[in-house]
Amino acid sequence: MEIHVIGAGLAGCETAFFLAEREIKVKLYDIKPEKLTEGHKSKNFGELLCSNSLRGDSLTNAVGLLKEEMRIAGSLMMKCAEKTKVPAGGALAVDRKKFEECMTEYIKSHKNIDVFCEEIVNPDELAGIKVIAAGPLATDRLTDWIAKKTGKNNLFFFDAIAPIVDGETIDYSKTFFASRYEKGEGSDYLNCPMNKEEYLEFWNALIDAETVKLKDFEKNKKLFEGCLPVEEIAKRGEDALRFGPLKPVGLKNPDTGEEYYAVVQLRKEDKEGRFYNLVGFQTHLTYPEQKRVFRLIPGLENARFERFGRMHKNTYINSPEVLDNFFRLKKDRSIFFAGQISGVEGYVESAASGLMVGFFIYSMLKKGEPLHFPKETALTGLTRHISMKTSNFQPSNITFSLIPDIEKRIKNRRERRLAIAERSLEKLKQFVNVNFFLQK
Ligand SMILES: Cc1cc2nc3c(=O)[nH]c(=O)nc-3n(C[C@H](O)[C@H](O)[C@H](O)COP(=O)(O)OP(=O)(O)OC[C@H]3O[C@@H](n4cnc5c(N)ncnc54)[C@H](O)[C@@H]3O)c2cc1C
């Protein structure tokens, strides 16, 4: 069976490398080096589009755990990162040029990988298994093909995610649980009420806060009205937020009956309420500014941000609708999606999904059906994300909200996270020993 991987970015390189290391021949296609998308600058594979950081490297950090799992699983990205890392405090950062050269060298010199410089516009013309790893800037003609395969309504071109805060760092004495007009379960939303003075302080800080510079190709993207950055809404006038995401109507404090000038609503990210999403807070604010301004919200003065809000050009599919939990098209099981286009977010997550797809194809070839990674791992957290049906699916980084908590109650957050990480790594090591070199 022929395996075709479309896109030699972080995800595609991982898929190809995983299979090639197990003596499975792979054909890998990229428009590079002859052409570049509007966002890519380097002719090398595995390009880091913007920052040179692969983010935190501690096991108390979800992306740190994901990276450790990838090391155990033999990730190409982690091999090259190890060889090319530069000092960056608690983060793992790399020398960008050396990193990309390392990725390219491993791929081009592998005896089981044939590289083609070609724009794939119709993967149906390729017989066998196809992996679409063409990234958030996939070429237009390929994007048209994806729209046909998935249905136009299941393809998006822009993401807009709101920040997530750690539930343990919220001051609950200033907040109350209630749904608007008391609809639904009372504890669905945690509300952060504001009086006029607090609201005006927040509004003034928001309209003056520093935003991220947009890339040229992002500037002419029109934003949907329903998905405007919170600071853009604020700039429309002093009361605009009070008629938008901070609308106070229908939100009385159930204990006192009090009504408020404005209310920020937080929605649970997980059943237990370990993490909360700031509803309607998609934003272009820089990360330090998000911390400064959003901590003005009553109850969030000491909030720890598990994920920051963000918006950028990003072609991705509505995975929960169209993919199964092996990143495989429900309607055509010879087609897999990997990387950012599959609905994960970030360099590490994109590479991790590519590695997983490599394993899914490998286990499918050996056993007839793909095997799942252990449910306790951060890798499976990514599967959980791309399978989670919501009305507004958005790509996401890995967070602890996607990894099951441990049963034992450990109060200290750092210790609890370490225990979750240790459990995950132990399970993964056992799994890799048994399943990474399967016999037919
Ligand atoms: C502008 C921008 C900046 C970003 N910055 C960061 C950041 O700083 N940190 C972070 O963690 N994440 C960032 N991301 C998000 C994400 O992590 C990266 O986009 C990441 O590179 C995704 O990996 P990928 O393998 O899915 O896609 P890519 O790395 O983009 O790889 C896709 C490959 O497919 C090729 N290709 C496209 N169309 C075709 C075709 N039709 N035929 C053949 N080949 C094709 C491309 O040339 C490319 O090499 C950024 C995203 C964007 C859009």
Side-chain angles (χ1 to χ4, degrees):
M1 169 102 62
E2 290 213 315
I3 317 278
H4 307 274
V5 178
I6 299 153
L10 297 167
C13 288
E14 285 287 351
T15 307
F17 186 73
F18 188 93
L19 290 165
E21 286 287 275
R22 285 154 185 82
E23 301 302 331
I24 294 170
K25 300 263 182 218
V26 178
K27 293 187 169 166
L28 178 62
Y29 307 83
D30 204 291
I31 56 173
K32 289 181 175 191
E34 274 179 20
K35 286 193 210 157
L36 296 175
T37 74
E38 66 267 52
H40 289 87
K41 294 187 197 82
S42 150
K43 294 188 170 179
N44 278 320
F45 296 160
E47 177 172 349
L48 302 177
L49 270 171
C50 186
S51 153
N52 68 332
S53 168
L54 307 183
R55 310 191 342 259
D57 210 15
S58 145
L59 288 180
T60 55
N61 184 318
V63 78
L65 172 59
L66 184 62
K67 285 199 288 283
E68 190 56 30
E69 291 181 6
M70 290 170 72
R71 288 185 184 104
I72 293 172
S75 151
L76 176 61
M77 172 196 246
M78 296 316 299
K79 267 190 220 308
C80 289
E82 203 49 49
K83 290 187 176 184
T84 62
K85 70 181 171 193
V86 293
L92 175 61
V94 296
D95 176 318
R96 177 195 305 279
K97 190 163 172 285
K98 287 188 184 149
F99 171 83
E100 292 167 4
E101 283 169 358
C102 175
M103 295 285 285
T104 310
E105 175 58 25
Y106 263 108
I107 292 293
K108 288 202 168 160
S109 64
H110 206 296
K111 70 179 190 334
N112 292 325
I113 304 177
D114 288 327
V115 174
F116 300 88
C117 174
E118 196 178 326
E119 179 187 0
I120 299 298
V121 296
N122 180 7
D124 286 329
E125 287 173 356
L126 307 167
I129 293 174
K130 279 86 65 172
V131 180
I132 316 299
L137 307 171
T139 60
D140 290 346
R141 291 190 291 175
L142 179 62
T143 307
D144 288 345
W145 175 88
I146 296 170
K148 279 193 204 119
K149 279 280 161 189
T150 57
K152 265 200 175 114
N153 294 340
N154 288 319
L155 184 65
F156 306 114
F157 299 96
F158 213 88
D159 72 5
I161 68 168
I164 294 178
V165 292
D166 185 335
E168 279 188 5
T169 59
I170 296 173
D171 180 351
Y172 291 91
S173 69
K174 297 188 176 163
T175 63
F176 62 93
F177 283 103
S179 295
R180 207 177 293 279
Y181 300 115
E182 295 167 15
K183 282 188 188 148
E185 296 282 320
S187 60
D188 280 354
Y189 289 90
L190 181 64
N191 300 284
C192 306
M194 291 178 173
N195 59 31
K196 186 168 180 182
E197 199 186 321
E198 287 163 337
Y199 174 80
L200 288 178
E201 189 194 355
F202 173 72
W203 178 75
N204 275 304
L206 186 57
I207 55 173
D208 288 337
E210 193 192 334
T211 53
V212 175
K213 272 206 190 99
L214 292 186
K215 307 246 178 295
D216 284 343
F217 65 86
E218 290 180 322
K219 282 188 185 143
N220 49 13
K221 282 275 145 198
K222 266 177 92 184
L223 296 173
F224 298 114
E225 232 359 68
C227 201
L228 282 175
V230 66
E231 64 278 6
E232 287 303 320
I233 303 176
K235 283 176 191 163
R236 290 179 172 183
E238 188 182 299
D239 282 330
L241 287 174
R242 299 202 317 117
F243 290 95
L246 272 70
K247 192 163 61 184
V249 293
L251 286 171
K252 277 188 200 159
N253 186 322
D255 294 330
T256 61
E258 198 177 344
E259 294 181 72
Y260 300 94
Y261 193 71
V263 177
V264 174
Q265 288 206 294
L266 310 186
R267 188 173 42 225
K268 280 182 184 170
E269 268 294 301
D270 55 336
K271 262 207 313 271
E272 300 83 16
R274 290 183 295 152
F275 299 94
Y276 287 88
N277 187 310
L278 276 69
V279 180
F281 271 62
Q282 55 274 6
T283 177
H284 275 311
L285 257 51
T286 61
Y287 291 174
E289 287 290 80
Q290 290 187 42
K291 221 184 212 178
R292 180 180 70 83
V293 177
F294 299 159
R295 281 184 173 169
L296 295 172
I297 298 170
L300 302 191
E301 293 83 353
N302 296 307
R304 213 189 55 80
F305 288 81
E306 177 69 10
R307 175 185 89 183
F308 286 103
R310 196 202 49 243
M311 305 180 75
H312 64 68
K313 170 160 188 212
N314 195 2
T315 303
Y316 68 99
I317 54 173
N318 189 3
S319 311
E321 283 298 324
V322 300
L323 298 188
D324 66 11
N325 48 18
F326 297 110
F327 289 73
R328 189 169 53 166
L329 208 57
K330 287 179 190 164
K331 280 193 192 155
D332 182 343
R333 296 191 165 210
S334 69
I335 300 174
F336 289 77
F337 280 79
Q340 186 94 2
I341 203 163
S342 70
V344 299
E345 168 66 43
Y347 296 154
V348 182
E349 290 82 348
S350 294
S353 70
L355 187 151
M356 290 168 82
V357 167
F359 174 73
F360 293 147
I361 295 173
Y362 171 70
S363 51
M364 187 173 87
L365 293 176
K366 296 284 177 189
K367 297 278 171 196
E369 265 304 299
L371 299 175
H372 281 296
F373 281 87
K375 63 179 189 316
E376 296 84 359
T377 55
L379 287 164
T380 295
L382 295 178
T383 308
R384 217 164 265 130
H385 174 68
I386 64 120
S387 322
M388 209 155 29
K389 287 204 177 176
T390 75
S391 55
N392 179 25
F393 177 70
Q394 300 278 342
S396 177
N397 294 126
I398 187 68
T399 64
F400 271 101
S401 63
L402 293 166
I403 308 169
D405 209 349
I406 43 167
E407 279 174 20
K408 197 168 140 207
R409 181 87 192 117
I410 303 177
K411 251 189 134 193
N412 180 287
R413 190 173 62 91
R414 204 185 120 73
E415 283 172 18
R416 191 167 69 248
R417 291 193 165 186
L418 277 177
I420 294 175
E422 274 164 23
R423 176 192 63 181
S424 151
L425 298 177
E426 192 50 45
K427 294 271 179 193
L428 185 64
K429 279 180 198 153
Q430 289 166 11
F431 180 82
V432 164
N433 282 340
V434 177
N435 296 301
F436 265 33
F437 288 92
L438 293 166
Q439 300 303 317
K440 246 201 174 140

